[in-house]
Amino acid sequence: MPESHGTVLAVDPPRNLAFDWGGDEIRFDLEDAGPDGTRFTLTHVLGEENTAARNSAGWEVCLSALDAKARGERFQGPHAGVTTPWKEYYQGYLDAGLPSGAPIPGA
């Protein structure tokens, strides 16, 4: 990916982090979900509509890696080669009608 820069918009440790990243607003919120868990909420406000399918597929892979890590499992991540599920997620979002057309890094 090309180098990018962001600006922190809000910080409330350990509950919230919001930042501008390349014209998008990304927000991570953590909430107590009882004695055995934490609820994680990701909000991504798109700067450009045509990035919806691409970014959604990317978040699927990233959040799957985070979930695996939290369970102590190994996950190869979004650059795991031909076995990465990214393209399947992307096609699913296209089939669901999410806006697309933004360049896909590395493609």
Side-chain angles (χ1 to χ4, degrees), residues 14-51:
R15 293 173 201 73
N16 168 267
L17 171 64
F19 56 96
D20 174 271
W21 185 23
D24 291 1
E25 182 179 333
I26 300 172
R27 180 180 179 105
F28 302 123
D29 291 294
L30 300 176
E31 178 183 349
D32 184 7
D36 296 324
T38 300
R39 178 173 291 114
F40 170 76
T41 302
L42 163 70
T43 304
H44 188 159
V45 180
L46 301 173
E48 297 182 35
E49 183 178 344
N50 71 348
T51 62

Side-chain angles (χ1 to χ4, degrees), residues 30-84:
L30 300 176
E31 178 183 349
D32 184 7
D36 296 324
T38 300
R39 178 173 291 114
F40 170 76
T41 302
L42 163 70
T43 304
H44 188 159
V45 180
L46 301 173
E48 297 182 35
E49 183 178 344
N50 71 348
T51 62
R54 180 195 69 190
N55 291 3
S56 295
W59 281 121
E60 288 269 3
V61 174
C62 292
L63 294 174
S64 292
L66 180 63
D67 185 52
K69 180 73 172 172
R71 290 190 317 266
E73 299 172 3
R74 180 180 163 97
F75 188 86
Q76 298 297 318
H79 304 291
V82 296
T83 61
T84 185

